[in-house]
Amino acid sequence: MSGTTSQLQVDGKTVDMAIKTGSIGPSVIDIGKLYAQTGMFTYDPGFTSTASCESQITYIDGDEGVLLYRGYPIEQLAEHGDFLETCYLLLEGELPTASQKADFDYRVTRHTMVHEQMARFFQGFRRDAHPMAVMVGSIGAMSAFYHDSTDISDPHQRMVASMRMIAKMPTLAAMAYKYTVGQPFVYPLNSLDYTSNFLRMCFAVPAEEYKVNPVLSRALDRIFILHADHEQNASTSTVRLAGSSGANPFACIAAGAACLWGPAHGGANEAALKMLEEIGSVENIPKYIAKAKDKNDPFRLMGFGHRVYKNYDPRAKIMQKTTHEVLNELGIKDDPLLDVAIELERIALSDSYFIEKKLYPNIDFYSGITLKAMGFPTSMFTALFALARTVGWIAQWKEMIEDPSQRIGRPRQLYTGAPLREYNPIGRR
Ligand code: CMC
Protein backbone atom coordinates (compact mmCIF):
# COMPACT_ATOMS: atom_id res chain seq x y z
CA MET A 1 0.00 0.00 0.00
CA SER A 2 1.18 3.51 -0.69
CA GLY A 3 -0.32 6.91 0.16
CA THR A 4 -4.03 6.93 -0.50
CA THR A 5 -3.99 3.98 -2.85
CA SER A 6 -3.24 0.30 -2.43
CA GLN A 7 -2.03 -2.08 -5.09
CA LEU A 8 -3.10 -5.64 -5.73
CA GLN A 9 -1.19 -8.03 -7.99
CA VAL A 10 -3.53 -10.39 -9.84
CA ASP A 11 -2.39 -12.67 -12.69
CA GLY A 12 0.58 -10.42 -13.37
CA LYS A 13 -1.58 -7.30 -13.50
CA THR A 14 -1.29 -4.47 -10.97
CA VAL A 15 -4.57 -2.97 -9.88
CA ASP A 16 -4.67 0.37 -8.04
CA MET A 17 -7.38 0.77 -5.46
CA ALA A 18 -8.14 3.94 -3.52
CA ILE A 19 -7.93 3.91 0.25
CA LYS A 20 -10.77 5.82 1.85
CA THR A 21 -10.32 7.22 5.33
CA GLY A 22 -13.14 7.82 7.78
CA SER A 23 -13.19 10.33 10.67
CA ILE A 24 -12.12 7.58 13.13
CA GLY A 25 -11.68 3.83 12.83
CA PRO A 26 -10.10 1.65 10.16
CA SER A 27 -9.72 2.95 6.61
CA VAL A 28 -11.21 0.91 3.75
CA ILE A 29 -9.88 -0.26 0.40
CA ASP A 30 -12.32 0.67 -2.35
CA ILE A 31 -12.71 -2.54 -4.41
CA GLY A 32 -15.69 -1.23 -6.42
CA LYS A 33 -13.84 -1.59 -9.77
CA LEU A 34 -12.03 -4.85 -8.93
CA TYR A 35 -14.33 -7.10 -10.95
CA ALA A 36 -14.21 -4.82 -13.98
CA GLN A 37 -10.40 -4.75 -13.83
CA THR A 38 -9.62 -8.38 -12.91
CA GLY A 39 -12.76 -10.46 -13.48
CA MET A 40 -12.54 -11.53 -9.82
CA PHE A 41 -14.70 -10.92 -6.78
CA THR A 42 -13.54 -10.71 -3.17
CA TYR A 43 -14.67 -13.47 -0.80
CA ASP A 44 -15.71 -12.60 2.75
CA PRO A 45 -18.44 -14.83 4.21
CA GLY A 46 -20.03 -13.19 7.24
CA PHE A 47 -18.57 -9.82 6.11
CA THR A 48 -15.75 -9.93 8.67
CA SER A 49 -13.56 -7.55 6.61
CA THR A 50 -16.14 -5.78 4.48
CA ALA A 51 -17.61 -2.31 5.01
CA SER A 52 -20.98 -2.42 3.26
CA CYS A 53 -21.61 1.33 3.34
CA GLU A 54 -20.44 4.74 4.48
CA SER A 55 -22.28 5.93 7.58
CA GLN A 56 -22.23 8.86 10.02
CA ILE A 57 -24.51 7.40 12.66
CA THR A 58 -22.79 4.96 15.02
CA TYR A 59 -19.17 4.13 15.72
CA ILE A 60 -17.85 1.07 17.56
CA ASP A 61 -14.27 0.37 18.58
CA GLY A 62 -14.54 -3.29 19.49
CA ASP A 63 -11.00 -3.57 20.85
CA GLU A 64 -11.40 -0.65 23.23
CA GLY A 65 -15.07 -1.30 24.06
CA VAL A 66 -16.27 2.06 22.73
CA LEU A 67 -19.74 2.84 21.37
CA LEU A 68 -20.63 6.32 20.08
CA TYR A 69 -23.96 7.54 18.70
CA ARG A 70 -23.23 10.50 16.40
CA GLY A 71 -19.96 10.94 18.32
CA TYR A 72 -21.45 10.86 21.83
CA PRO A 73 -20.34 8.03 24.18
CA ILE A 74 -23.15 5.63 25.07
CA GLU A 75 -22.29 6.05 28.78
CA GLN A 76 -23.05 9.81 28.67
CA LEU A 77 -26.28 9.39 26.72
CA ALA A 78 -27.50 6.64 29.06
CA GLU A 79 -26.57 8.68 32.15
CA HIS A 80 -27.91 12.10 31.17
CA GLY A 81 -30.41 11.75 28.33
CA ASP A 82 -33.66 9.98 27.62
CA PHE A 83 -34.63 7.60 24.85
CA LEU A 84 -36.48 10.14 22.71
CA GLU A 85 -33.48 12.47 22.86
CA THR A 86 -31.37 9.56 21.57
CA CYS A 87 -33.95 8.98 18.82
CA TYR A 88 -33.70 12.62 17.76
CA LEU A 89 -29.90 12.44 17.83
CA LEU A 90 -29.78 9.28 15.70
CA LEU A 91 -32.27 10.62 13.18
CA GLU A 92 -31.13 14.24 12.94
CA GLY A 93 -27.41 13.98 13.73
CA GLU A 94 -27.43 16.54 16.57
CA LEU A 95 -28.77 16.67 20.11
CA PRO A 96 -32.04 18.65 20.18
CA THR A 97 -32.46 22.05 21.79
CA ALA A 98 -35.16 22.23 24.47
CA SER A 99 -37.80 23.40 21.97
CA GLN A 100 -36.76 20.84 19.33
CA LYS A 101 -37.00 18.12 22.00
CA ALA A 102 -40.44 19.30 23.15
CA ASP A 103 -41.66 19.36 19.53
CA PHE A 104 -40.22 15.90 18.80
CA ASP A 105 -41.73 14.39 21.98
CA TYR A 106 -45.09 15.94 21.05
CA ARG A 107 -45.00 14.55 17.50
CA VAL A 108 -44.06 11.04 18.66
CA THR A 109 -46.70 11.13 21.37
CA ARG A 110 -49.39 12.14 18.83
CA HIS A 111 -48.70 9.01 16.79
CA THR A 112 -48.89 6.36 19.54
CA MET A 113 -52.34 4.98 18.72
CA VAL A 114 -52.65 2.32 16.04
CA HIS A 115 -55.45 2.02 13.49
CA GLU A 116 -58.38 0.39 15.30
CA GLN A 117 -58.58 -2.23 12.57
CA MET A 118 -55.15 -3.45 13.70
CA ALA A 119 -56.70 -4.73 16.93
CA ARG A 120 -58.86 -7.02 14.79
CA PHE A 121 -55.84 -7.96 12.71
CA PHE A 122 -54.26 -9.24 15.95
CA GLN A 123 -57.22 -11.57 16.52
CA GLY A 124 -55.96 -13.66 13.59
CA PHE A 125 -52.89 -14.79 15.54
CA ARG A 126 -52.95 -17.81 17.84
CA ARG A 127 -52.84 -16.80 21.49
CA ASP A 128 -49.71 -18.88 22.03
CA ALA A 129 -47.83 -17.22 19.14
CA HIS A 130 -44.36 -15.93 20.00
CA PRO A 131 -44.53 -12.12 20.44
CA MET A 132 -41.79 -11.74 17.80
CA ALA A 133 -43.94 -13.64 15.29
CA VAL A 134 -46.72 -11.17 16.07
CA MET A 135 -44.30 -8.22 15.86
CA VAL A 136 -42.87 -9.23 12.49
CA GLY A 137 -46.40 -9.72 11.13
CA SER A 138 -47.87 -6.55 12.57
CA ILE A 139 -44.93 -4.29 11.62
CA GLY A 140 -45.18 -5.59 8.05
CA ALA A 141 -48.96 -5.10 8.17
CA MET A 142 -48.48 -1.40 8.93
CA SER A 143 -47.80 -0.88 5.21
CA ALA A 144 -51.36 -2.09 4.61
CA PHE A 145 -52.77 0.32 7.21
CA TYR A 146 -50.67 3.39 6.47
CA HIS A 147 -50.19 3.47 2.70
CA ASP A 148 -50.16 7.27 2.73
CA SER A 149 -46.58 7.03 4.02
CA THR A 150 -45.09 4.34 1.80
CA ASP A 151 -43.76 6.50 -1.05
CA ILE A 152 -40.05 6.51 -0.29
CA SER A 153 -39.27 9.21 -2.86
CA ASP A 154 -41.29 11.75 -0.83
CA PRO A 155 -39.28 13.17 2.15
CA HIS A 156 -42.49 14.09 3.97
CA GLN A 157 -43.86 10.55 3.71
CA ARG A 158 -40.50 9.17 4.85
CA MET A 159 -40.65 11.42 7.92
CA VAL A 160 -44.27 10.44 8.70
CA ALA A 161 -43.49 6.72 8.34
CA SER A 162 -40.48 7.15 10.68
CA MET A 163 -42.53 8.94 13.34
CA ARG A 164 -45.28 6.39 13.05
CA MET A 165 -42.96 3.47 13.57
CA ILE A 166 -41.06 4.98 16.54
CA ALA A 167 -44.36 5.99 18.16
CA LYS A 168 -46.38 2.85 17.45
CA MET A 169 -43.76 0.20 18.17
CA PRO A 170 -44.41 0.31 21.96
CA THR A 171 -48.15 0.04 21.28
CA LEU A 172 -47.63 -2.98 19.00
CA ALA A 173 -45.19 -4.65 21.43
CA ALA A 174 -47.60 -4.11 24.34
CA MET A 175 -50.48 -5.47 22.23
CA ALA A 176 -48.38 -8.54 21.35
CA TYR A 177 -47.86 -9.12 25.08
CA LYS A 178 -51.48 -8.48 26.09
CA TYR A 179 -52.69 -10.79 23.36
CA THR A 180 -50.58 -13.72 24.55
CA VAL A 181 -51.73 -13.30 28.18
CA GLY A 182 -55.36 -12.87 27.16
CA GLN A 183 -55.82 -9.40 28.64
CA PRO A 184 -57.54 -6.44 26.93
CA PHE A 185 -55.35 -4.04 24.98
CA VAL A 186 -54.56 -0.85 26.90
CA TYR A 187 -54.67 2.35 24.81
CA PRO A 188 -51.72 4.73 25.05
CA LEU A 189 -52.00 7.63 27.49
CA ASN A 190 -50.34 10.67 26.00
CA SER A 191 -49.77 12.47 29.30
CA LEU A 192 -47.09 9.87 30.08
CA ASP A 193 -43.56 9.82 28.73
CA TYR A 194 -42.65 7.26 26.06
CA THR A 195 -41.35 4.51 28.34
CA SER A 196 -43.86 5.01 31.19
CA ASN A 197 -46.60 4.79 28.57
CA PHE A 198 -45.18 1.50 27.35
CA LEU A 199 -45.00 0.05 30.89
CA ARG A 200 -48.61 1.07 31.45
CA MET A 201 -49.77 -0.46 28.15
CA CYS A 202 -48.08 -3.72 29.20
CA PHE A 203 -49.00 -3.98 32.85
CA ALA A 204 -52.19 -1.95 33.49
CA VAL A 205 -55.55 -3.71 33.53
CA PRO A 206 -58.96 -2.01 33.38
CA ALA A 207 -59.91 -3.50 36.76
CA GLU A 208 -57.44 -1.48 38.82
CA GLU A 209 -55.41 1.69 38.86
CA TYR A 210 -51.83 1.44 37.62
CA LYS A 211 -49.04 3.68 38.89
CA VAL A 212 -45.84 3.76 36.88
CA ASN A 213 -42.75 3.16 39.02
CA PRO A 214 -40.35 5.97 37.97
CA VAL A 215 -37.24 3.90 38.83
CA LEU A 216 -38.37 1.06 36.56
CA SER A 217 -39.42 3.49 33.85
CA ARG A 218 -36.01 5.22 33.94
CA ALA A 219 -34.23 1.83 33.91
CA LEU A 220 -36.21 0.62 30.90
CA ASP A 221 -35.67 3.93 29.14
CA ARG A 222 -31.92 3.44 29.64
CA ILE A 223 -32.19 -0.11 28.26
CA PHE A 224 -33.88 1.37 25.17
CA ILE A 225 -30.99 3.86 24.78
CA LEU A 226 -28.45 1.02 24.98
CA HIS A 227 -30.25 -0.90 22.23
CA ALA A 228 -31.05 2.03 19.92
CA ASP A 229 -28.38 1.43 17.29
CA HIS A 230 -25.29 -0.68 16.70
CA GLU A 231 -24.00 0.20 13.23
CA GLN A 232 -24.07 -2.46 10.48
CA ASN A 233 -25.19 -5.52 12.49
CA ALA A 234 -27.22 -8.33 10.86
CA SER A 235 -30.68 -6.79 11.30
CA THR A 236 -29.56 -3.29 10.26
CA SER A 237 -27.83 -4.68 7.19
CA THR A 238 -31.06 -6.56 6.45
CA VAL A 239 -33.02 -3.30 6.66
CA ARG A 240 -30.53 -1.58 4.34
CA LEU A 241 -30.57 -4.44 1.85
CA ALA A 242 -34.37 -4.60 1.84
CA GLY A 243 -34.54 -0.80 1.51
CA SER A 244 -32.03 -0.76 -1.34
CA SER A 245 -34.64 -2.34 -3.61
CA GLY A 246 -37.03 0.53 -2.90
CA ALA A 247 -39.26 -1.52 -0.58
CA ASN A 248 -41.53 0.55 1.67
CA PRO A 249 -40.22 1.49 5.15
CA PHE A 250 -42.64 -0.73 7.11
CA ALA A 251 -41.63 -3.77 5.02
CA CYS A 252 -37.94 -2.96 5.59
CA ILE A 253 -38.32 -2.65 9.37
CA ALA A 254 -40.33 -5.91 9.45
CA ALA A 255 -37.40 -7.57 7.65
CA GLY A 256 -35.02 -6.18 10.28
CA ALA A 257 -37.23 -7.49 13.09
CA ALA A 258 -37.31 -10.95 11.47
CA CYS A 259 -33.52 -11.01 11.37
CA LEU A 260 -33.22 -9.71 14.94
CA TRP A 261 -35.27 -12.66 16.21
CA GLY A 262 -32.39 -15.15 15.69
CA PRO A 263 -30.62 -16.45 18.85
CA ALA A 264 -27.20 -15.26 17.63
CA HIS A 265 -28.57 -11.68 17.48
CA GLY A 266 -31.54 -10.17 19.36
CA GLY A 267 -32.83 -13.56 20.49
CA ALA A 268 -29.73 -13.93 22.69
CA ASN A 269 -31.28 -12.12 25.69
CA GLU A 270 -34.05 -14.72 25.82
CA ALA A 271 -31.53 -17.53 25.28
CA ALA A 272 -29.20 -16.10 27.97
CA LEU A 273 -31.94 -16.08 30.60
CA LYS A 274 -33.05 -19.61 29.65
CA MET A 275 -29.43 -20.70 29.99
CA LEU A 276 -29.12 -19.14 33.48
CA GLU A 277 -32.33 -20.92 34.48
CA GLU A 278 -31.03 -24.19 33.08
CA ILE A 279 -27.73 -23.82 34.97
CA GLY A 280 -29.89 -23.19 38.04
CA SER A 281 -27.22 -22.92 40.72
CA VAL A 282 -23.62 -21.89 41.15
CA GLU A 283 -22.44 -25.52 41.65
CA ASN A 284 -23.52 -26.42 38.11
CA ILE A 285 -21.42 -23.68 36.44
CA PRO A 286 -18.21 -25.72 35.88
CA LYS A 287 -20.23 -28.32 33.94
CA TYR A 288 -21.59 -25.63 31.60
CA ILE A 289 -18.21 -23.93 31.21
CA ALA A 290 -16.81 -27.33 30.15
CA LYS A 291 -19.67 -27.77 27.65
CA ALA A 292 -19.01 -24.29 26.19
CA LYS A 293 -15.33 -25.16 25.70
CA ASP A 294 -16.00 -28.60 24.19
CA LYS A 295 -15.54 -28.42 20.40
CA ASN A 296 -17.92 -31.38 19.96
CA ASP A 297 -20.70 -29.78 21.98
CA PRO A 298 -22.79 -27.10 20.18
CA PHE A 299 -23.51 -25.38 23.53
CA ARG A 300 -22.33 -21.76 23.80
CA LEU A 301 -22.47 -19.40 26.74
CA MET A 302 -25.31 -17.16 25.64
CA GLY A 303 -24.68 -13.49 26.36
CA PHE A 304 -20.95 -14.02 25.81
CA GLY A 305 -18.87 -13.06 22.79
CA HIS A 306 -19.47 -10.55 20.05
CA ARG A 307 -18.44 -10.19 16.43
CA VAL A 308 -17.11 -6.68 17.01
CA TYR A 309 -16.39 -6.32 20.75
CA LYS A 310 -13.18 -8.05 21.73
CA ASN A 311 -13.38 -6.29 25.08
CA TYR A 312 -16.15 -5.79 27.65
CA ASP A 313 -19.27 -4.59 25.76
CA PRO A 314 -19.73 -1.00 27.09
CA ARG A 315 -23.48 -1.57 27.08
CA ALA A 316 -23.07 -4.62 29.35
CA LYS A 317 -21.37 -2.47 32.03
CA ILE A 318 -24.30 -0.01 32.11
CA MET A 319 -26.73 -2.93 31.96
CA GLN A 320 -25.14 -4.59 34.98
CA LYS A 321 -25.56 -1.37 37.01
CA THR A 322 -29.18 -1.07 35.83
CA THR A 323 -29.85 -4.67 36.91
CA HIS A 324 -28.74 -3.88 40.46
CA GLU A 325 -30.85 -0.68 40.54
CA VAL A 326 -33.96 -2.57 39.41
CA LEU A 327 -33.49 -5.47 41.82
CA ASN A 328 -32.90 -3.01 44.70
CA GLU A 329 -36.02 -1.04 43.82
CA LEU A 330 -38.09 -4.21 43.73
CA GLY A 331 -36.59 -5.41 47.01
CA ILE A 332 -35.17 -8.55 45.39
CA LYS A 333 -32.26 -9.25 47.71
CA ASP A 334 -31.33 -12.75 46.61
CA ASP A 335 -31.98 -13.59 43.01
CA PRO A 336 -30.49 -17.03 42.31
CA LEU A 337 -30.21 -16.14 38.61
CA LEU A 338 -28.16 -13.06 39.44
CA ASP A 339 -25.90 -15.19 41.68
CA VAL A 340 -25.39 -17.61 38.78
CA ALA A 341 -24.74 -14.73 36.36
CA ILE A 342 -22.16 -13.01 38.59
CA GLU A 343 -20.30 -16.26 39.28
CA LEU A 344 -20.47 -17.36 35.63
CA GLU A 345 -19.04 -14.03 34.56
CA ARG A 346 -16.27 -14.24 37.18
CA ILE A 347 -15.26 -17.77 36.13
CA ALA A 348 -15.48 -17.08 32.40
CA LEU A 349 -13.40 -13.90 32.68
CA SER A 350 -10.61 -15.81 34.43
CA ASP A 351 -10.72 -18.89 32.17
CA SER A 352 -8.00 -19.09 29.49
CA TYR A 353 -10.49 -20.28 26.79
CA PHE A 354 -12.58 -17.12 27.14
CA ILE A 355 -9.55 -14.84 27.66
CA GLU A 356 -7.73 -16.12 24.57
CA LYS A 357 -10.82 -15.86 22.37
CA LYS A 358 -11.66 -12.45 23.90
CA LEU A 359 -15.15 -13.55 24.88
CA TYR A 360 -16.67 -10.99 27.25
CA PRO A 361 -20.24 -10.57 28.49
CA ASN A 362 -22.37 -8.69 25.97
CA ILE A 363 -25.49 -6.59 26.55
CA ASP A 364 -27.74 -9.65 26.57
CA PHE A 365 -26.06 -11.23 29.54
CA TYR A 366 -27.69 -9.00 32.15
CA SER A 367 -30.69 -7.58 30.29
CA GLY A 368 -32.78 -10.77 30.71
CA ILE A 369 -32.50 -10.72 34.53
CA THR A 370 -33.57 -7.06 34.58
CA LEU A 371 -36.51 -7.46 32.22
CA LYS A 372 -37.70 -10.56 34.07
CA ALA A 373 -37.60 -8.68 37.39
CA MET A 374 -39.71 -5.93 35.80
CA GLY A 375 -42.36 -8.52 34.99
CA PHE A 376 -41.71 -9.25 31.30
CA PRO A 377 -41.86 -12.90 30.24
CA THR A 378 -38.75 -14.15 28.41
CA SER A 379 -40.68 -14.38 25.16
CA MET A 380 -41.03 -10.55 25.20
CA PHE A 381 -37.31 -9.77 25.50
CA THR A 382 -36.57 -9.68 21.79
CA ALA A 383 -39.73 -7.65 21.14
CA LEU A 384 -38.35 -5.01 23.54
CA PHE A 385 -35.05 -5.06 21.65
CA ALA A 386 -36.96 -4.57 18.37
CA LEU A 387 -38.88 -1.65 19.87
CA ALA A 388 -35.66 0.12 20.85
CA ARG A 389 -33.71 -0.78 17.69
CA THR A 390 -36.47 0.56 15.43
CA VAL A 391 -35.00 4.07 15.55
CA GLY A 392 -31.56 2.76 14.58
CA TRP A 393 -33.02 0.83 11.67
CA ILE A 394 -34.93 3.91 10.54
CA ALA A 395 -31.94 6.25 10.87
CA GLN A 396 -29.80 3.84 8.81
CA TRP A 397 -32.56 3.31 6.23
CA LYS A 398 -33.06 7.09 5.92
CA GLU A 399 -29.32 7.68 5.55
CA MET A 400 -29.22 5.12 2.74
CA ILE A 401 -32.27 6.47 0.91
CA GLU A 402 -30.91 10.03 1.10
CA ASP A 403 -27.48 8.99 -0.24
CA PRO A 404 -27.39 9.95 -3.95
CA SER A 405 -24.90 7.15 -4.70
CA GLN A 406 -27.25 4.49 -3.30
CA ARG A 407 -27.76 1.41 -5.52
CA ILE A 408 -29.53 -1.87 -4.98
CA GLY A 409 -27.47 -4.17 -2.71
CA ARG A 410 -26.39 -7.21 -4.69
CA PRO A 411 -23.59 -9.39 -3.25
CA ARG A 412 -21.85 -11.88 -5.57
CA GLN A 413 -20.77 -15.45 -4.85
CA LEU A 414 -18.12 -18.10 -5.34
CA TYR A 415 -20.07 -20.75 -7.26
CA THR A 416 -19.12 -24.32 -6.28
CA GLY A 417 -22.13 -26.18 -7.77
CA ALA A 418 -22.34 -28.38 -10.86
CA PRO A 419 -20.87 -26.91 -14.05
CA LEU A 420 -22.94 -26.84 -17.27
CA ARG A 421 -24.60 -30.22 -17.95
CA GLU A 422 -27.28 -31.61 -20.25
CA TYR A 423 -30.87 -32.13 -19.06
CA ASN A 424 -31.76 -35.85 -18.90
CA PRO A 425 -35.49 -36.63 -19.40
CA ILE A 426 -37.05 -38.38 -16.38
CA GLY A 427 -37.46 -41.77 -18.09
CA ARG A 428 -33.71 -41.98 -18.78
CA ARG A 429 -32.43 -41.18 -15.24
N1 CMC B 1 -19.44 -19.56 24.09
C1 CMC B 1 -18.39 -20.38 23.81
N2 CMC B 1 -17.54 -20.22 22.76
C2 CMC B 1 -17.77 -19.16 21.96
C3 CMC B 1 -18.83 -18.27 22.18
C4 CMC B 1 -19.67 -18.49 23.30
N3 CMC B 1 -20.69 -17.65 23.56
N4 CMC B 1 -18.82 -17.31 21.23
C5 CMC B 1 -17.79 -17.59 20.43
N5 CMC B 1 -17.16 -18.72 20.87
C6 CMC B 1 -15.96 -19.32 20.28
C7 CMC B 1 -16.30 -20.06 18.99
O1 CMC B 1 -16.59 -21.42 19.24
C8 CMC B 1 -15.05 -19.86 18.16
O2 CMC B 1 -14.10 -20.79 18.63
P1 CMC B 1 -13.00 -21.38 17.60
O3 CMC B 1 -12.18 -20.21 17.15
O4 CMC B 1 -12.22 -22.35 18.43
O5 CMC B 1 -13.78 -22.03 16.49
C9 CMC B 1 -14.56 -18.46 18.57
O6 CMC B 1 -15.09 -18.25 19.90
C10 CMC B 1 -15.04 -17.34 17.65
O7 CMC B 1 -16.46 -17.45 17.54
P2 CMC B 1 -17.28 -17.14 16.19
O8 CMC B 1 -18.58 -17.86 16.24
O9 CMC B 1 -16.39 -17.37 15.02
O10 CMC B 1 -17.48 -15.59 16.34
P3 CMC B 1 -18.56 -14.75 15.58
O11 CMC B 1 -18.02 -13.36 15.53
O12 CMC B 1 -18.93 -15.39 14.29
O13 CMC B 1 -19.85 -14.83 16.53
C11 CMC B 1 -21.44 -14.39 18.21
C12 CMC B 1 -20.24 -13.85 17.42
C13 CMC B 1 -22.05 -13.23 19.02
C14 CMC B 1 -22.52 -14.90 17.25
C15 CMC B 1 -20.96 -15.52 19.14
O14 CMC B 1 -20.00 -15.03 20.06
C16 CMC B 1 -22.11 -16.19 19.89
O15 CMC B 1 -22.75 -17.10 19.35
N6 CMC B 1 -22.42 -15.73 21.17
C17 CMC B 1 -23.55 -16.22 21.88
C18 CMC B 1 -24.81 -15.53 21.38
C19 CMC B 1 -24.91 -14.10 21.86
O16 CMC B 1 -24.72 -13.82 23.04
N7 CMC B 1 -25.29 -13.20 20.95
C20 CMC B 1 -25.55 -11.82 21.27
C21 CMC B 1 -24.65 -10.88 20.58
S1 CMC B 1 -24.82 -9.22 21.31
C22 CMC B 1 -26.39 -8.69 20.83
C23 CMC B 1 -26.47 -8.30 19.42
O17 CMC B 1 -25.70 -7.41 18.99
O18 CMC B 1 -27.33 -8.85 18.71
Side-chain angles (χ1 to χ4, degrees):
M1 284 185 197
S2 65
T4 52
T5 57
S6 62
Q7 292 185 331
L8 180 73
Q9 306 279 343
V10 188
D11 289 342
K13 255 194 276 171
T14 302
V15 183
D16 287 325
M17 290 171 298
I19 296 177
K20 291 187 167 180
T21 308
S23 43
I24 35 175
S27 300
V28 301
I29 300 170
D30 183 350
I31 56 158
K33 299 217 162 40
L34 188 72
Y35 178 59
Q37 290 177 338
T38 66
M40 285 189 194
F41 301 132
T42 53
Y43 180 63
D44 184 19
F47 306 109
T48 52
S49 298
T50 299
S52 62
C53 63
E54 200 179 304
S55 181
Q56 300 181 352
I57 302 173
T58 293
Y59 174 75
I60 303 173
D61 182 333
D63 295 323
E64 296 297 324
V66 169
L67 170 60
L68 311 177
Y69 292 164
R70 300 283 189 183
Y72 295 101
I74 188 68
E75 293 83 357
Q76 292 180 20
L77 294 168
E79 177 79 25
H80 305 297
D82 69 21
F83 178 65
L84 285 188
E85 183 185 57
T86 293
C87 291
Y88 185 99
L89 174 69
L90 289 169
L91 291 169
E92 304 294 336
E94 295 297 336
L95 285 168
T97 61
S99 70
Q100 286 168 332
K101 172 74 165 56
D103 176 61
F104 185 74
D105 286 7
Y106 178 84
R107 285 191 294 144
V108 170
T109 305
R110 294 291 131 182
H111 281 98
T112 49
M113 281 175 62
V114 296
H115 195 293
E116 193 59 20
Q117 184 76 17
M118 275 203 101
R120 283 190 280 287
F121 175 79
F122 267 69
Q123 312 296 327
F125 291 110
R126 280 172 56 137
R127 289 272 175 191
D128 58 356
H130 192 287
M132 275 306 280
V134 176
M135 287 297 280
V136 171
S138 57
I139 298 168
M142 282 171 86
S143 43
F145 286 95
Y146 302 103
H147 17 90
D148 59 342
S149 54
T150 51
D151 178 358
I152 62 155
S153 63
D154 177 349
H156 178 72
Q157 291 201 27
R158 291 205 296 272
M159 186 275 290
V160 173
S162 304
M163 297 306 272
R164 280 178 167 157
M165 279 189 279
I166 293 166
K168 294 182 202 308
M169 217 53 85
T171 314
L172 291 181
M175 286 169 81
Y177 170 61
K178 287 297 197 191
Y179 191 70
T180 59
V181 290
Q183 290 180 2
F185 297 140
V186 174
Y187 286 98
L189 186 62
N190 288 350
S191 55
L192 293 176
D193 65 75
Y194 188 85
T195 304
S196 300
N197 199 8
F198 175 61
L199 281 170
R200 184 178 163 277
M201 286 191 287
C202 286
F203 298 122
V205 287
E208 51 191 58
E209 210 188 312
Y210 178 80
K211 267 190 116 89
V212 179
N213 179 327
V215 175
L216 300 192
S217 173
R218 176 71 191 118
L220 187 58
D221 198 74
R222 199 178 301 131
I223 292 174
F224 290 165
I225 295 173
L226 299 182
H227 286 88
D229 195 43
H230 215 225
E231 55 119 306
Q232 309 311 320
N233 56 82
S235 58
T236 302
S237 299
T238 302
V239 170
R240 279 188 178 256
L241 201 54
S244 77
S245 75
N248 77 66
F250 304 106
C252 297
I253 303 304
C259 176
L260 185 77
W261 193 2
H265 192 6
N269 49 16
E270 184 175 343
L273 193 82
K274 282 188 180 148
M275 178 195 73
L276 293 175
E277 284 170 345
E278 192 188 316
I279 296 175
S281 72
V282 168
E283 305 84 73
N284 294 332
I285 293 176
K287 191 173 95 197
Y288 283 88
I289 294 269
K291 272 165 76 65
K293 288 156 67 172
D294 182 356
K295 277 251 155 274
N296 300 316
D297 190 326
F299 176 79
R300 283 187 167 202
L301 278 193
M302 299 314 285
F304 263 79
H306 198 273
R307 170 60 63 79
V308 182
Y309 292 119
K310 302 302 168 197
N311 199 327
Y312 212 104
D313 178 344
R315 303 168 303 170
K317 280 196 193 135
I318 307 167
M319 197 65 237
Q320 191 193 41
K321 197 169 146 236
T322 303
T323 304
H324 287 291
E325 276 170 24
V326 167
L327 296 185
N328 275 346
E329 174 64 18
L330 295 173
I332 303 172
K333 298 264 177 290
D334 299 306
D335 181 348
L337 292 185
L338 186 62
D339 294 343
V340 173
I342 290 172
E343 185 59 7
L344 186 64
E345 179 183 352
R346 193 191 64 74
I347 295 178
L349 290 180
S350 54
D351 187 296
S352 58
Y353 173 92
F354 292 88
I355 294 170
E356 275 157 27
K357 293 188 191 306
K358 300 191 173 157
L359 298 170
Y360 291 84
N362 59 50
I363 188 169
D364 294 320
F365 191 61
Y366 283 104
S367 61
I369 299 173
T370 322
L371 296 175
K372 179 172 177 263
M374 285 179 174
F376 290 104
T378 38
S379 60
M380 273 298 286
F381 294 177
T382 314
L384 296 176
F385 191 160
L387 182 171
R389 182 56 59 85
T390 294
V391 66
W393 290 330
I394 292 171
Q396 302 268 353
W397 169 82
K398 189 170 160 282
E399 184 179 64
M400 181 194 68
I401 298 287
E402 289 169 4
D403 177 354
S405 65
Q406 185 264 324
R407 300 165 75 190
I408 187 167
R410 180 40 171 108
R412 303 304 296 259
Q413 63 173 10
L414 172 66
Y415 178 69
T416 54
L420 178 69
R421 47 184 170 164
E422 285 296 317
Y423 176 83
N424 208 2
I426 195 158
R428 280 201 257 128
R429 277 173 232 161

